[in-house]
Amino acid sequence: MASKQPTLDEDFDEKIIDIEVSQEIEASYLEYAYSVIYARALPDARDGLKPVQRRILYSMNEMGIRPNTPHVKCARVVGNVMGVLHPHGDTAIYDALVRLAQPWSLRLPLVDGHGNFGSLDASAAAMRYTECRMGPAAVAMTADIDSEVVDFKPNYDGKELEPVVLPAAFPNLLVNGASGIAVGMATNMAPHNLVEVVAGLKHLLENPDATLDEIMRFVPGPDLPTGGKIIGLDGIRDAYTTGRGQFRIRASARIEQVSPRRKGIVVTELPYQVGPEKIIEQVKQLSEKKAVQGVAEVKDLTDLANGTRLVIEVKNGVNPEALLELLYQKTKLEDSFSINNVALVDGQPQTLGLLPLMRVYLEHRRTVTLRRTDFQLRKANDRLHLVEGLLIAILDIDDVIAIIRTSDDAAQARERLKEAFDLDDIQATYILDMQLRRLTKLSHIELEAERDELSQTIAELRQIIESPDKLRHVVAADLDEVVRLFGSPRRTVLLSGAGVVTAKQAAAAAAAAPIEIPDGPAVVALSSAGLVARIDGTDLPGSSGPRSTHDVIVSSVRTTTRGELGALTNLGRVIRLQAIELPSIPPTADAASLSGGAPLAELVALAPKERVLALTTLNDATFGWAFGTRRGVVKRTNPELLTKDAWDLIRLDDGDEVVGAVELTSDGVDLVFVTSDAQLLHFPAAKVRPQGRSGGGMAGISLAAGATVVFFGAVAPEASEVVTVAGSSEALPGTESGTVKVTPCDLYPAKGRATGGVRCQRFLKGEDTLLLAWVGPAPAVAAAASGAPITLPTPDSRRDMSGTPAPQPIAAVGTRQLRP
């Protein structure tokens, strides 16, 4: 007969407990909060690690995955940690492991990662793809853990043991910082420089009553892994005093000429925990909304070789310094960091200032050092006890052997040895286990030496235990060793006093500074090496004083910052240029060097074998141009309305080219030709009838057979000099120094157009041509191909004379004066 099944009320009614829902929720939430605070989110103030981080490092140490062993899959480490010590999800464990390996997250990474461990903007690859091993700093964190220096506790299932805290040979909490969100509280601690923190700890060791001001002489502020600049130290002092404070971090940026046409803002260090992709996104959004104007393009050129390099190209006509201040105000190029030093002290969460944090760590290191010393003392005593027993046995080795041979078993031998030589059980057992090779005379000497060394070691260890001063010195020595192994220079710049800029001041400065560069007077200069630069302002630099070691100015024009100018080429063209698109150099720079200029060939579109000869203005005041060709043709061209970017201004015959092109300011100048056979001709520019752009010019100088024009220009003879360099036509270009001669230009009489001119230098034996000629404003300056200056001889009043040997080949002759 089937038994009667119990009803629900009959079977379970007595197991139902009536409680208030509010009480159950409160108890469950408190249990959850306790678990989060103590077992997950907050670091211990002694080793600066959260439980999951501590378990990762301890597991890797137990698995033997050290810096001198090959990397292993991260999944293997995560699995071991999760299965043995940390009963939580693998994602949380792997995220913690990844952070321990990121040099932009920790000032001193604890894990040596191999593979894609992410970036500030991207997450790491899956743990089945990445590999890891302990970093050298992690070895210091777990050093001496087998010497009973810390307490152990059962793991979550009671089958294994795990350390309550790691020995932590360096102050990890201060050096690497920490962040975490618990229930009802959070922590956010900034990284610091190891060298500075250890210096402060050593001072606190020697001076337990040291004040915060004294410690801040050694630890002036955080040192962030990504560098940058900390603006203002008031918030840092608040954090060091109370455990709470805030400071601002500014990216490290500089203005560079990133392309021949554009300047750019180059960011090399970003604020802590801010990635380049975030900056790029913010800049693009601000540009689209017209909140920031003047950004042409943003490029992320960051790589492993050069580090962070974020390039923000600035549009022409925009002041890059003003734009940078605006970006500091509106983007994460300047960010804030809130310090909240919450850590566990004796199992209780506390908010700690700098001094309490340092004292907690020092007390931990004293305890670790004392326990390590006690462990070493016990081991030394145990070894000394055995050595003394061995020495007794070796002295009467024949009796020992006889006792052993006549004993029935090991137990009887042990007892007889104890009675015969007054040994204890440990010594007797060790003698029985002794190898026969230890019976040599040398072994006896070694044992005596070991006994003496052990006695000395025991005495030293007892001094450390008994003397607080000795203990302090050992702690300090351990810290010094850590600095020797892992110390590095400061990365973050601290700015205070005059360097402090508040957010309101920065906003006011950005609002006051004009974003667009205003139009004003400027000079554009071209050097013999082809460098071009714009110099803004009315004060012209480089017109006097010593020259720098660089090439010379061959052409310069007055214009405005936003004006137009032209480039005259050897093909008889004028190419339009915008002054605002040219690189600018400060008015204080040496104009003769054009330092910071850019190659003009990269700014204009030149035809094959085309080169720029001179610069010219393109405005209503332009009087006209004059051209001289290699075959002695001269042409004057009146200015016309240029509607294209490039115009032909002279029709050239096949095989001919322009050797000189100048802008005429009036008819009151002379046009001058210098030929390869040392003939110089100058005549008034008014003698040349202007032609249209399609004209081919007229005869300028009568050339002898085989001669060509080597120089053409426009000068005022009474204020000019003639520089000629003679040499052999058979020498390779740039290899012959030749002879150089300098003569006042007004010594040469003016002659009519299309005549042969007068001789300007007498050739010496072996000379048959002019290698170079130049006529222009005095004083003339010369430069070698390397840019090094070459001293020219004193002007000679004898026009038909030979030259003096040049010290080295002259590549260019020009002036140090800009156009007045």
Side-chain angles (χ1 to χ4, degrees), residues 96-172:
L97 188 151
V98 166
R99 187 177 186 276
L100 292 175
Q102 292 176 337
W104 57 88
S105 296
L106 302 186
R107 188 62 177 81
L108 189 58
L110 300 176
V111 171
D112 178 12
H114 181 66
N116 178 15
F117 275 75
S119 67
L120 284 164
D121 299 299
S123 58
M127 59 183 171
R128 62 181 178 273
Y129 300 121
T130 57
E131 298 177 337
C132 68
R133 63 185 178 188
M134 293 178 72
V139 176
M141 290 291 294
T142 58
D144 302 316
I145 197 169
D146 296 328
S147 299
E148 301 178 5
V149 294
V150 294
D151 294 331
F152 281 72
K153 64 179 181 179
N155 68 335
Y156 68 93
D157 59 3
K159 297 180 180 178
E160 302 285 345
L161 293 176
E162 62 174 310
V164 175
V165 66
L166 292 185
F170 68 93
N172 177 66

Side-chain angles (χ1 to χ4, degrees), residues 567-571 573 575 600-612:
L568 301 171
T569 75
N570 65 322
L571 298 186
R573 296 200 305 161
I575 303 174
L600 184 56
E602 297 182 8
L603 298 172
V604 296
L606 298 176
K609 297 183 179 181
E610 185 178 20
R611 65 183 187 277
V612 176

Side-chain angles (χ1 to χ4, degrees), residues 231 250 325 329 334 497-513:
I231 309 296
R250 174 172 285 193
E325 287 298 328
Q329 178 188 354
E334 183 172 316
V500 175
V501 180
T502 65
K504 291 183 178 180
Q505 289 172 335

Side-chain angles (χ1 to χ4, degrees), residues 755-778:
T755 60
V758 296
R759 190 162 59 184
C760 58
Q761 182 167 347
R762 185 184 299 274
F763 291 147
L764 298 174
K765 184 178 180 180
E767 297 177 345
D768 59 358
T769 187
L770 286 184
L771 303 175
L772 181 146
W774 179 85
V775 184

Side-chain angles (χ1 to χ4, degrees), residues 552-573:
V552 297
I553 299 296
V554 297
S555 180
S556 63
V557 295
R558 278 278 191 181
T559 181
T560 63
T561 306
R562 297 182 174 275
E564 288 187 338
L565 65 148
L568 301 171
T569 75
N570 65 322
L571 298 186
R573 296 200 305 161

Side-chain angles (χ1 to χ4, degrees), residues 199-200 203-204 207-219 237 354-355:
H203 181 78
L204 192 59
N207 304 275
D209 297 328
T211 64
L212 180 61
D213 289 334
E214 294 177 11
I215 297 300
M216 286 190 68
R217 295 206 315 265
F218 302 97
V219 189
R237 184 175 181 81
L354 179 61
L355 282 174

